[in-house]
Amino acid sequence: MEIRLENLTKVFTDKTGRETRAVDKLDIVIESGKLIALLGPSGCGKSTTLFMIAGLEKPTEGRIFFGDDEVTKLAPEKRGIGLVFQNYALYPHMTVYQNIMFPLENLKIKREEAIARVHEMANLVGIGELLERKPGQLSGGQQQRVAIARALVKKPRVLLLDEPLSNLDARLRLQMREEIKRIQRETGITTIFVTHDQEEAMSISDQMVVLNFGVKQQVDAPQEMYNHPDNLFVAKFLGNPPINVIQGEVKKGTLFADKKKIGVVKAADGEYPVGLRPEDFKVDPEGFEVDLKETFHIGRDTLIHFELNGTDVRALVDSDDVEIGAKKVKLSVKKNKIHLFDKESGSIVSHE
Amino acid sequence: MKNQLFAKTNRLEWITVGIDLLFVILYIVGFLYFFGIVELPMLNDTTIDLANLDQNYVYQTFLGELESPQLNGIISLLVIFMTVSVPLLVIHFKKVKNIIIYEVSPGFAATKFFYGVINLLSLNPFSAALRFYNTFVALQLAKGYGFKGFLKSIGPWLKKVTAKKVQEEDNEDDEDTLLLKKNIRRQTAVHATRMTLTYFFLIVMAVFIIIPFYWMIVTSLKDFYDSTVNPNPSIFIGLQDMQWVNYKAVLQELNFGVYIKNTLIVAFFSTIGTIITTIFASYAFAKLEFKGRETIFSIMIMTMMIPGELYIITNFITVSKNGFGWIGGGAVTDTYFLAMIVPFMTSISYIFFLRQNFKQIPESLYKAARVDGCSDFKYLTRVMIPIASPTIFTITILNVIGSWNAFIWPRLITAVGGTEGQNYWLISVALRDANFNLPGGDRIMYNLQIAASALVTVPLILVFFTFRKYIMNGIGRSGTKG
Amino acid sequence: MNKLKNALWSARNAVKGFFGRIRDFLVDHKLGFLVNWPRWFKAVVYLSPAMILLGIFTFYPIVNAFRLVVYEGYNSADGSITGYTLFGNFINVITEDNFIIPSSHTQSSVMINTLVIVFVSVPLSMIIALLIATALNSIKPLKGFFQTVYFLPYVTNAITIGLVFAYMFRSGSAGLVNKMLGVFGVDPVIWVERGATYWKAMFVLILYGIWAALAFKIMVFLTSIQGIDKQYYQAAAIDGTPKSRIFSKITVPLISPMIFYILITSVIGAFKTYNSVIAIFGNTGTPAGATYTLKTIVFYIYDYLNNATPGNLSLAAASSIVLFAIILLLTLVQMQVGKKRVHY
């Protein structure tokens, strides 16, 4: 099921009459059978977008299509969606079985089939043993699985997940990530996944949509987006440790920072914010020399801090190339890894 | 293995609870039977000799011939059994329903044994035997050994206890240690004194609270002489001297049966009404968004401050002849019930209480239900009400207690219409206004008046013991919420 | 069992399908508003049962009380009045014999009685309840038992125990209290019967008031004491603070908001004293043959109500508005103080 958002806008008006544009003219096409991550900092409108797709929020403007059907004004239960909440929203007084059964009560199916489906879904998510328990007796990961089973049991056309992993501890999160990916592969259902964790989004999704203040920043496959960010926001938002942004000057096709030659770029002369990912530096006898402020040897890699044109810069380099106790080191930037952004708009000028 | 043992002790407990239930029914039936055959002494064909209720009769029962004292003794025993076993039954039932395997400990086993002893004392050898046996099943589960192991473990335990003492005495200490020991001893003494004083204070206050109840029960079972005339009333009363006939006289001759029935009718309908209106209103205030919601709600909260006397005045006019005409006139006088029920079919404070509870239910549950195609009404009945059921139950109990204790309003309206109104007295009103005077004299028959009081109080206490947790929770929470 | 469940399931589906078809039909024929209620209408439906009842029996009476109070000579039998007055009813109530000023042959008035109850029984019961709650908090064995015992008066009927109190304080024969006093060699005292002095009768009334009021206060105090962070006590224990100082410097200040709240609600409750008087002293509100009265403000209001003379309902309204004014004042004080210093 392909999902198309056209010019989708949501404006909240508070008591004093002030308007907040939570989602602003969003145009996205989500391919059928893919796992899509809606990524952005908190308050960027990603959950609002999800709830609009679910039908729980009414868009102020714009239209939503599931395939060829317009669903903008359709009630949530008629859209054929499954929704998993951040806090799972399991009914605390019902057993796991009753929780998964609950959505089926509103469908026109036979009871035998309903029971069969409950068992099928419970086995799919791996909670077949726990059907008689109450949510209070389950761990966070198990509750999560129940919530997914409950969302899937209706055989929805679209599965929507609202920050599903944020209530889990770090180890479970890794495990559930893989689990969600597996379930999505097995069912082949179009899935939209909301998160503020870029690492999570990158590891799990086929495509990512980055939002900021309700405005779409970039839509791309994770690695593609990491390597070729469309603007400064996306570049800064992706990656850990985060990208270094320094002020650089281009003179005749060469990028300088603090009179040091950083690399060759294809851009008009002028000043640019330059994005350099920490791992894109390498030790190079031919490169520019920097004074090391701090050095952390962490196994294979070494994290070094230095100052470049008044900005603190972090770089990850091969441990073998940095002597312990070194005060200075010569660095260069790997090929095609210099991101030049426009000073005013922040959008990309060139990846060199 | 452990799971099997757990299943076994659970199964045993279920059977025991079943037997308990059987015996409770037996006690009740027995009580009803023996209480039913108690005879009221007659002065002549129509009047009862209220002043001399304690006359000796010989009763033909299935136990053979019984004289009044023996009958009284049997009834007393049955009443004691009932008061002990009914709350215990509820407790056992709840426990066995909710037990988890980790709760089974040696202490748990010991409690079983203790309850077994109580069973034995209340002439229920079957439950007792099962509980004794079950004690050791639970012990096996908790400690890994059964009855024999238990016997064996007593020896080492005793040795350990005695050995410790010997060791302590043997030690020779230097000065510092002695000082420390002295300090510790003094500290222990201070602590012990403080605890003794604390308990003494608590016991004295508890006695102060209990005395009226005790005196009520004792007096209600006395004869006319000891309760009213005797300048030196007895403080204790033997099982055989308990005059259960007092209660019969109160129920039949002084019409308290009717008043209790009236009260139950009022309590039942006003509670049902209150629950329904409260649930709907709380739901609207908690979950539905509409203009003026907060305004209406604040106005309601503000009216909680207004003393009831202020609106009783107008309500009195409203239900009387010039208003709805529910009291004082007309052929159908059962409308007295309407006047007592309808004004109390809703309650602002309960709406407030339940709304707070509804508000705590996460909004995402509502969203999840919407996505699943669940209507508002279904969401209310299938999700909100079950989740808030402890609160709703608390409200139910508090409301029933409130109706049972209602006095001012029923008294005001049943005072209208002379003797017609008296037929609709509720118990509190009857207690205050019924004529307990000795026929032909102005002396109050205190034994009967106090028996009537006990008749009102005992059900309350039973309800309280059974649902203590709900009642105290409700009060504690409403108190701390402000 | 399974069959039954299947049948129920299909039945529900059928019913749902039926209503679903009706709904679809209506929506198709532009009658959707009949089934798709707007939110405000839903709210009206859910609120109406409670609101209609509250409207008739709570909101209207409040308004009506202010209407009644300006009537002169209102006759509830036929609804006729003889005139209007602005403050006349208030003046009548306040200047009435025994309302504020004791009349010549008596020693007490309704207001004096109420104030005595407020200023004696409330502080006493507060202090005792606080002590009991603290004591309860410091013990472990039997805590639940004591809690239950202390809570008993809360669920009992005010009239019954009032009757029992009156009975226990009987003089002459069958009086438990006098019998107990006799053990200590005290001569029999007349407490509540013919010949009892004002203060003796008042003593029984206040004692009963305390007995009945303790339960709620202990409960609330205990809940709030248990809510205090244990760290305060641990810190105090390490510093070697004596228990009495812990009580006065930690426990009391930390639960002061609750103490204050309970103080105000108890004062309001004490102003509304009625049941205990009528339970112990009956309809006359005083021991037989006494030259004083033990009636309270609320007792007075019901006296007006029980006596259907024209104009009396207006007097009842006036006195209940006076009571309301007192309560309002106290509540305002509570809100003001609450804002300022509730959080220590």
Side-chain angles (χ1 to χ4, degrees):
Chain A
M1 179 66 48
E2 185 188 81
I3 300 171
R4 213 148 26 96
L5 310 181
E6 280 184 6
N7 193 29
L8 197 64
T9 304
K10 178 74 187 179
V11 180
F12 287 113
T13 314
D14 65 7
K15 273 180 192 157
T16 56
R18 219 183 44 200
E19 291 188 346
T20 323
R21 298 184 86 80
V23 178
D24 204 356
K25 294 185 182 138
L26 210 56
D27 283 302
I28 302 174
V29 178
I30 292 163
E31 286 172 53
S32 183
K34 289 278 168 68
L35 204 170
I36 308 299
L38 275 180
L39 180 64
S42 48
C44 74
K46 52 193 190 309
S47 287
T48 313
T49 309
L50 193 81
F51 286 150
M52 281 195 285
I53 297 173
L56 292 171
E57 300 269 10
K58 280 201 185 101
T60 317
E61 247 179 84
R63 301 196 287 177
I64 303 166
F65 291 90
F66 282 10
D68 295 330
D69 313 332
E70 187 184 341
V71 296
T72 319
K73 285 188 178 146
L74 213 58
E77 70 268 20
K78 293 190 174 147
R79 294 189 181 196
I81 47 162
L83 183 52
V84 176
F85 290 87
Q86 183 172 3
N87 58 5
Y88 319 133
L90 299 178
Y91 307 115
H93 58 292
M94 298 184 190
T95 61
V96 170
Y97 174 84
Q98 288 166 330
N99 260 292
I100 303 177
M101 188 61 124
F102 193 72
L104 296 176
E105 286 180 12
N106 303 310
L107 298 182
K108 281 172 199 148
I109 54 170
K110 283 233 162 72
R111 184 161 171 268
E112 286 90 348
E113 195 198 331
I115 293 171
R117 271 211 217 169
V118 171
H119 286 287
E120 181 197 341
M121 283 308 146
N123 290 332
L124 175 72
V125 299
I127 46 155
E129 314 278 289
L130 307 172
L131 285 176
E132 293 311 312
R133 300 254 191 109
K134 293 227 170 128
Q137 301 165 325
L138 300 179
S139 69
Q142 289 167 333
Q143 293 188 20
Q144 174 70 268
R145 287 161 196 264
V146 178
I148 293 174
R150 187 179 67 182
L152 287 176
V153 76
K154 289 183 301 185
K155 308 239 152 123
R157 303 190 282 183
V158 182
L159 178 63
L160 306 171
L161 303 149
D162 182 20
E163 304 247 7
L165 304 178
S166 60
N167 280 9
L168 298 176
D169 60 42
R171 243 179 37 170
L172 260 173
R173 210 176 294 174
L174 281 178
Q175 195 190 337
M176 280 311 294
R177 234 191 247 176
E178 288 161 17
E179 197 65 22
I180 288 174
K181 188 137 188 156
R182 175 185 68 79
I183 293 167
Q184 197 267 335
R185 290 270 174 282
E186 279 182 30
T187 53
I189 186 171
T190 312
T191 303
I192 303 177
F193 179 104
V194 161
T195 180
H196 62 267
D197 184 340
Q198 49 95 16
E199 199 186 323
E200 196 172 287
M202 291 186 68
S203 65
I204 199 173
S205 58
D206 300 321
Q207 283 234 299
M208 298 202 304
V209 178
V210 176
L211 294 178
N212 190 28
F213 291 116
V215 181
K216 177 179 75 176
Q217 304 291 325
Q218 190 171 359
V219 183
D220 232 325
Q223 203 55 40
E224 185 58 27
M225 195 184 283
Y226 185 79
N227 288 333
H228 301 289
D230 270 357
N231 56 36
L232 203 51
F233 175 80
V234 175
K236 278 182 180 170
F237 196 71
L238 299 184
N240 188 25
I243 196 165
N244 302 296
V245 179
I246 57 171
Q247 288 303 317
E249 198 182 356
V250 175
K251 276 184 197 160
K252 289 174 191 160
T254 312
L255 176 67
F256 291 96
D258 201 12
K259 286 167 194 158
K260 287 168 180 149
K261 188 186 157 194
I262 307 295
V264 183
V265 291
K266 279 183 208 148
D269 287 6
E271 293 209 344
Y272 296 94
V274 183
L276 300 168
R277 293 216 179 269
E279 68 273 22
D280 292 342
F281 289 95
K282 63 179 181 205
V283 177
D284 184 354
E286 311 277 283
F288 53 91
E289 191 178 64
V290 292
D291 294 332
L292 293 183
K293 283 165 84 181
E294 269 171 294
T295 314
F296 303 97
H297 296 280
I298 34 178
R300 189 165 55 85
D301 293 325
T302 294
L303 180 67
I304 56 178
H305 283 225
F306 55 88
E307 214 176 87
L308 199 57
N309 210 4
T311 318
D312 257 331
V313 177
R314 276 183 282 190
L316 270 176
V317 294
D318 204 316
S319 290
D320 295 342
D321 298 340
V322 185
E323 283 173 40
I324 293 175
K327 298 267 189 236
K328 290 181 186 233
V329 72
K330 286 193 168 178
L331 295 172
S332 67
V333 181
K334 291 176 188 167
K335 249 190 165 177
N336 290 339
K337 297 292 184 187
I338 300 175
H339 311 289
L340 290 191
F341 297 99
D342 188 78
K343 224 164 132 187
E344 264 83 47
S345 66
S347 56
I348 193 78
V349 174
S350 79
H351 302 289
E352 287 296 335
Chain B
M1 182 61 194
K2 279 214 155 181
N3 279 332
Q4 272 172 7
L5 272 175
F6 181 64
K8 186 177 172 190
T9 159
N10 253 359
R11 209 166 44 238
L12 276 172
E13 188 61 28
W14 271 115
I15 297 169
T16 324
V17 169
I19 297 175
D20 282 352
L21 177 68
L22 215 69
F23 267 80
V24 165
I25 294 171
L26 214 64
Y27 298 146
I28 293 174
V29 170
F31 169 77
L32 290 178
Y33 170 75
F34 287 113
F35 186 69
I37 60 171
V38 169
E39 240 174 275
L40 289 168
M42 305 297 272
L43 269 181
N44 50 45
D45 282 349
T46 50
T47 22
I48 288 173
D49 188 5
L50 287 173
N52 302 300
L53 288 169
D54 53 323
Q55 284 171 23
N56 205 348
Y57 286 93
V58 178
Y59 298 97
Q60 299 296 331
T61 69
F62 67 91
L63 292 173
E65 280 190 4
L66 289 177
E67 290 195 33
S68 280
Q70 288 169 313
L71 191 72
N72 284 334
I74 290 176
I75 297 177
S76 311
L77 275 180
L78 283 173
V79 169
I80 292 170
F81 293 168
M82 280 193 314
T83 44
V84 172
S85 56
V86 172
L88 279 185
L89 180 71
V90 176
I91 290 168
H92 288 321
F93 178 73
K94 269 193 210 149
K95 187 84 209 163
V96 71
K97 221 178 97 190
N98 298 323
I99 187 155
I100 333 172
I101 190 160
Y102 311 107
E103 285 178 334
V104 181
S105 63
F108 175 82
T111 352
K112 274 208 181 347
F113 193 84
F114 172 71
Y115 285 132
V117 173
I118 291 183
N119 281 142
L120 207 59
L121 288 176
S122 51
L123 301 183
N124 179 356
F126 305 104
S127 289
L130 275 173
R131 285 225 159 81
F132 290 148
Y133 176 62
N134 206 354
T135 303
F136 294 102
V137 177
L139 202 62
Q140 181 133 39
L141 178 56
K143 290 285 251 184
Y145 51 71
F147 184 59
K148 278 178 197 160
F150 172 70
L151 288 182
K152 271 184 205 153
S153 73
I154 292 176
W157 178 73
L158 278 176
K159 231 179 238 166
K160 219 166 78 187
V161 173
T162 43
K164 238 186 202 167
K165 271 188 188 160
V166 175
Q167 218 178 21
E168 269 172 28
E169 281 163 14
D170 274 358
N171 278 349
E172 281 186 23
D173 302 314
D174 55 48
E175 237 168 75
D176 277 358
T177 330
L178 272 177
L179 197 69
L180 191 68
K181 277 204 164 174
K182 210 171 140 192
N183 268 336
I184 290 173
R185 222 172 288 148
R186 194 167 57 211
Q187 206 180 317
T188 323
V190 168
H191 181 75
T193 326
R194 181 176 296 134
M195 274 298 133
T196 319
L197 285 177
T198 306
Y199 273 101
F200 180 72
F201 171 66
L202 286 175
I203 289 170
V204 167
M205 292 316 293
V207 168
F208 169 59
I209 298 290
I210 287 278
I211 277 185
F213 291 108
Y214 175 75
W215 198 237
M216 175 169 72
I217 301 292
V218 169
T219 308
S220 74
L221 295 167
K222 286 179 174 177
D223 55 27
F224 177 70
Y225 172 76
D226 201 15
S227 68
T228 310
V229 186
N230 191 353
N232 189 21
S234 44
I235 293 187
F236 302 103
I237 178 166
L239 290 184
Q240 298 197 335
D241 302 327
M242 293 184 172
Q243 300 297 328
W244 294 99
V245 66
N246 288 349
Y247 284 93
K248 197 157 192 176
V250 168
L251 280 172
Q252 287 182 357
E253 199 48 30
L254 295 174
N255 276 336
F256 268 74
V258 175
Y259 306 140
I260 287 178
K261 193 191 82 195
N262 289 346
T263 313
L264 288 178
I265 291 174
V266 171
F268 180 79
F269 286 105
S270 77
T271 304
I272 299 256
T274 304
I275 294 300
I276 293 173
T277 57
T278 302
I279 286 177
F280 281 135
S282 318
Y283 178 70
F285 281 124
K287 291 284 163 182
L288 295 179
E289 271 167 35
F290 54 93
K291 254 192 189 158
R293 180 174 80 167
E294 299 309 313
T295 322
I296 298 176
F297 193 65
S298 339
I299 291 174
M300 277 176 55
I301 299 303
M302 275 191 270
T303 56
M304 279 166 77
M305 208 170 60
I306 293 171
E309 290 71 31
L310 195 66
Y311 35 82
I312 272 187
I313 300 165
T314 304
N315 286 348
F316 185 59
I317 303 173
T318 306
V319 299
S320 58
K321 256 185 265 171
N322 289 340
F324 296 156
W326 283 338
I327 56 168
V332 190
T333 45
D334 270 353
T335 49
Y336 273 98
F337 280 129
L338 284 180
M340 286 191 275
I341 293 167
V342 177
F344 294 93
M345 286 217 303
T346 190
S347 151
I348 293 179
S349 52
Y350 293 153
I351 291 176
F352 179 71
F353 188 23
L354 190 59
R355 184 195 89 121
Q356 299 304 86
N357 214 273
F358 276 169
K359 277 222 143 178
Q360 286 166 2
I361 297 173
E363 186 64 24
S364 59
L365 285 188
Y366 180 61
K367 284 184 173 159
R370 285 264 310 277
V371 170
D372 295 340
C374 182
S375 65
D376 271 4
F377 186 73
K378 188 181 172 192
Y379 178 68
L380 173 64
T381 51
R382 285 293 302 277
V383 180
M384 302 259 278
I385 293 177
I387 292 178
S389 58
T391 306
I392 294 172
F393 193 62
T394 304
I395 291 176
T396 311
I397 294 172
L398 290 181
N399 199 66
V400 169
I401 292 176
S403 316
W404 185 264
N405 288 340
F407 174 66
I408 294 175
W409 176 251
R411 180 166 191 255
L412 199 61
I413 59 172
T414 49
V416 178
T419 46
E420 187 55 45
Q422 289 184 9
N423 293 334
Y424 297 93
W425 271 351
L426 303 192
I427 40 174
S428 307
V429 186
L431 262 184
R432 180 64 270 177
D433 292 346
N435 183 10
F436 287 101
N437 283 358
L438 196 64
D442 62 349
R443 282 217 285 194
I444 297 173
M445 297 176 290
Y446 277 106
N447 55 338
L448 296 192
Q449 191 193 41
I450 302 295
S453 303
L455 212 53
V456 173
T457 308
V458 168
L460 278 175
I461 294 181
L462 287 183
V463 166
F464 170 62
F465 278 137
T466 322
F467 304 114
R468 198 176 58 129
K469 207 180 75 194
Y470 291 97
I471 297 172
M472 283 164 83
N473 268 354
I475 305 310
R477 231 178 317 163
S478 67
T480 32
K481 276 268 156 68
Chain C
M1 196 62 195
N2 205 27
K3 267 192 185 154
L4 190 72
K5 276 186 179 166
N6 280 343
L8 275 176
W9 181 282
S10 340
R12 192 173 53 201
N13 269 353
V15 170
K16 210 165 270 162
F18 177 67
F19 281 111
R21 268 201 294 285
I22 291 182
R23 177 178 290 252
D24 290 345
F25 174 82
L26 288 173
V27 172
D28 288 347
H29 291 74
K30 311 224 157 160
L31 291 164
F33 61 88
L34 286 178
V35 279
N36 291 326
W37 295 341
R39 299 225 114 194
W40 66 265
F41 188 71
K42 239 181 234 174
V44 167
V45 171
Y46 280 101
L47 278 179
S48 51
M51 280 303 154
I52 291 171
L53 285 170
L54 287 177
I56 298 174
F57 294 109
T58 304
F59 299 137
Y60 163 69
I62 292 167
V63 178
N64 196 43
F66 286 92
R67 205 177 54 134
L68 280 176
V69 89
V70 297
Y71 286 169
E72 234 171 46
Y74 175 74
N75 187 344
S76 65
D78 54 13
S80 66
I81 55 169
T82 58
Y84 294 95
T85 168
L86 202 52
F87 297 111
N89 285 312
F90 289 109
I91 293 167
N92 279 345
V93 164
I94 291 170
T95 55
E96 182 128 2
D97 266 2
N98 285 339
F99 191 76
I100 292 181
I101 303 153
S103 59
S104 53
H105 62 283
T106 66
Q107 310 142 11
S108 67
S109 74
V110 169
M111 195 54 99
I112 292 176
N113 291 334
T114 312
L115 290 176
V116 166
I117 293 169
V118 167
F119 284 106
V120 179
S121 119
V122 172
L124 275 179
S125 62
M126 294 277 291
I127 292 168
I128 298 172
L130 201 52
L131 287 178
I132 292 180
T134 320
L136 269 180
N137 191 46
S138 69
I139 64 164
K140 251 215 171 111
L142 292 181
K143 185 176 175 179
F145 167 77
F146 280 121
Q147 236 177 311
T148 311
V149 168
Y150 292 133
F151 198 67
L152 267 181
Y154 188 83
V155 291
T156 49
N157 185 309
I159 302 297
T160 43
I161 305 297
L163 289 175
V164 175
F165 259 79
Y167 176 65
M168 289 192 332
F169 280 93
R170 281 194 72 200
S171 47
S173 53
L176 177 68
V177 175
N178 276 347
K179 178 172 169 160
M180 292 294 183
L181 290 177
V183 174
F184 299 102
V186 181
D187 286 337
V189 181
I190 300 173
W191 294 103
V192 292
E193 289 159 309
R194 188 180 290 275
T197 62
Y198 175 74
W199 285 108
K200 278 180 188 140
M202 192 47 117
F203 171 80
V204 177
L205 192 59
I206 286 174
L207 194 72
Y208 177 47
I210 294 174
W211 185 91
L214 277 180
F216 179 69
K217 289 176 186 145
I218 293 173
M219 187 69 197
V220 174
F221 285 151
L222 187 62
T223 317
S224 27
I225 289 177
Q226 282 169 340
I228 297 176
D229 196 332
K230 292 279 173 295
Q231 288 180 359
Y232 294 114
Y233 290 109
Q234 286 159 351
I238 288 168
D239 300 341
T241 321
K243 290 267 177 192
S244 55
R245 268 180 69 84
I246 291 180
F247 179 72
S248 62
K249 297 284 169 187
I250 298 180
T251 310
V252 172
L254 280 179
I255 64 166
S256 60
M258 197 40 81
I259 294 180
F260 190 71
Y261 165 73
I262 293 294
L263 178 69
I264 296 296
T265 47
S266 327
V267 168
I268 292 175
F271 265 107
K272 295 207 234 172
T273 305
Y274 171 68
N275 280 0
S276 49
V277 185
I278 201 158
I280 297 176
F281 299 106
N283 293 336
T284 54
T286 193
T291 56
Y292 53 84
T293 176
L294 282 170
K295 289 180 182 176
T296 57
I297 298 180
V298 176
F299 206 118
Y300 227 55
I301 298 174
Y302 289 119
D303 271 359
Y304 286 128
L305 270 180
N306 283 327
N307 183 0
T309 321
N312 267 1
L313 285 180
S314 299
L315 292 178
S319 37
S320 54
I321 289 172
V322 169
L323 182 65
F324 172 49
I326 296 171
I327 291 172
L328 186 66
L329 197 73
L330 285 168
T331 315
L332 289 178
V333 168
Q334 183 206 5
M335 280 157 79
Q336 277 308 312
V337 177
K339 258 185 215 153
K340 272 183 199 153
R341 61 164 288 272
V342 149
H343 291 290
Y344 357 102

